[in-house]
Amino acid sequence: MTSPIQMAELWRGGILESYHMGHAVVCDESGAIVNAWGDPEQIIFPRSSCKMIQALPLMESGAAEAANLTQEQLALSCASHQGASIHTTRVKKWLSGLGLSDDDLRCGPQPSQDDAERTRLILEHESPCQLHNNCSGKHAGFLTLNKHIGGDAEYIDPNHPVQTAIKTAFEEVTGVTSPGYGIDGCSAPNYATSVHGLARAMAFFATAREGQGTRETAAAKLVTAMRTYPELVAGETRACTELMRAMDHKVAVKTGADGVFVAILPEQKLGIALKITDGATRASECAIAAILVKLGVLDANHLATRKRMNAPQLNRRGIEAAWIRPSAAFA
């Protein structure tokens, strides 16, 4: 067992003010570890970083094809979006095509994180609904699969066929028997795995190509959708969207709550997973950027990189008051 290592630091006035510890793994196409920091076998909840795994049964079952899902909808099935109109209108249309509505979702309402949509709701005296939930696209995917198999309405129950299919796919692509699950923010079960297992799964997605097999084709289509529509996977100003654009749509990245981040590198056939132990998003964004720069797929001087790595922290007057940067031993 290896302890977490220092990954990101906050410096103020030339003095180290705080730091964040974590674990990270880079896997090759065989699932072997290419590089690791901290403990590769640390058990974590992947949270929303595993949404592409949760979408595999949607694809493999034939439900996506039967529903004629578009690339945009596939991107939304993997998304943690910010509830902007480009997200909510598409999910609403998707549900309508299934003969369903907001009432059929089980993710719960969430305030929109998009300024324009939040203002619209205020001006029109509307409350946020489940469509605004950052996981509504994933849940639309669950509902698509559920309709295809004729399941009951409570598709988030851990014993529901939708969720048991996800657990099977999850354990198979991670190569780890999950020690258990927790209930995620959107009420769906989230299965635990190791950092190595999560990176191994991302390496599978990185090597998958259409025509190789049912699962490989499914994985390849999901990755292509994510890279093609990064704005649907997250949203403007968000790390996932900006980093995918900064890498010319060649790499897919996905954040998860509580300091998790993954990356899928198809050209290099590599998968990355990391977990910041204190759950800090600023640290997970800094760490994933540092690894991507280290692997040569992200420009250290790109604006999207500089917002997260070696990034100034401005005070309320816009003055550079502190800096967040990768720890020397990690970078």
Side-chain angles (χ1 to χ4, degrees):
M1 185 69 71
T2 306
S3 299
I5 71 152
Q6 196 165 307
M7 286 190 167
E9 305 171 341
L10 189 80
W11 288 77
R12 189 183 305 271
I15 298 172
L16 178 61
E17 181 175 28
S18 58
Y19 56 86
H20 304 275
M21 311 290 285
H23 311 275
V25 173
V26 181
C27 273
D28 66 15
E29 57 187 309
S30 72
I33 295 176
V34 174
N35 212 336
W37 301 265
D39 181 10
E41 303 313 316
Q42 176 67 45
I43 297 299
I44 65 168
F45 287 111
R47 304 297 295 274
S48 287
S49 75
C50 71
K51 283 182 177 176
M52 66 291 287
I53 303 176
Q54 293 173 305
L56 281 175
L58 166 69
M59 306 292 289
E60 293 179 280
S61 65
E65 184 177 4
N68 295 312
L69 296 190
T70 65
Q71 273 196 334
E72 292 186 0
Q73 290 166 323
L74 296 185
L76 283 166
S77 73
C78 302
S80 295
H81 65 70
Q82 59 193 35
S85 62
I86 65 167
H87 307 118
T88 58
T89 56
R90 283 168 171 79
V91 176
K92 184 177 182 179
K93 183 178 179 180
W94 182 354
L95 293 176
S96 178
L98 296 171
L100 303 172
S101 70
D102 184 89
D103 292 338
D104 295 290
L105 294 169
R106 295 292 184 268
C107 52
Q110 178 180 353
S112 173
Q113 302 303 302
D114 178 74
D115 289 344
E117 177 65 5
R118 191 163 56 248
T119 299
R120 184 193 70 78
L121 289 169
I122 293 170
L123 292 176
E124 297 183 12
H125 304 287
E126 292 183 20
S127 297
C129 63
Q130 295 187 94
L131 295 173
H132 292 96
N133 188 299
N134 77 95
C135 297
S136 66
K138 178 180 80 172
H139 281 247
F142 289 167
L143 283 167
T144 303
L145 173 58
N146 193 40
K147 182 174 182 178
H148 186 71
I149 64 176
D152 66 59
E154 300 308 315
Y155 63 86
I156 56 170
D157 189 300
N159 296 315
H160 192 284
V162 167
Q163 300 305 329
T164 57
I166 289 170
K167 181 185 179 184
T168 297
F170 183 83
E171 292 184 330
E172 289 174 354
V173 297
T174 59
V176 177
T177 299
S178 178
Y181 68 88
I183 299 302
D184 215 336
C186 67
S187 296
N190 193 253
Y191 295 97
T193 191
S194 65
V195 181
H196 182 193
L198 187 56
R200 184 188 290 119
M202 296 306 107
F204 162 74
F205 277 87
T207 58
R209 300 291 184 268
E210 291 191 44
Q212 288 179 332
T214 302
R215 175 160 292 171
E216 289 81 2
T217 296
K221 287 183 176 180
L222 291 168
V223 173
T224 297
M226 291 175 69
R227 292 189 295 157
T228 304
Y229 294 100
E231 66 278 6
L232 297 182
V233 174
E236 300 305 328
T237 76
R238 296 276 302 285
C240 291
T241 297
E242 293 190 343
L243 291 175
M244 282 193 275
R245 287 173 177 168
M247 293 181 284
D248 297 323
H249 303 257
K250 294 179 180 179
V251 175
V253 299
K254 184 70 186 69
T255 190
D258 283 282
V260 184
F261 229 114
V262 301
I264 299 165
L265 288 67
E267 291 186 1
Q268 294 77 15
K269 297 184 178 180
L270 297 174
I272 305 169
L274 69 84
K275 163 69 177 180
I276 300 298
T277 57
D278 65 9
T281 297
R282 71 180 186 185
S284 65
E285 292 180 356
C286 178
I288 195 68
I291 295 175
L292 293 168
V293 168
K294 189 180 186 72
L295 292 173
V297 294
L298 179 64
D299 181 358
N301 293 314
H302 194 287
L303 180 60
T305 312
R306 290 168 53 200
K307 283 175 65 175
R308 285 134 191 130
M309 189 180 99
N310 302 321
Q313 308 295 293
L314 307 182
N315 69 11
R316 298 189 186 280
R317 293 183 60 204
I319 298 171
E320 293 181 2
W323 290 78
I324 187 164
R325 69 188 191 196
S327 298
F330 174 58

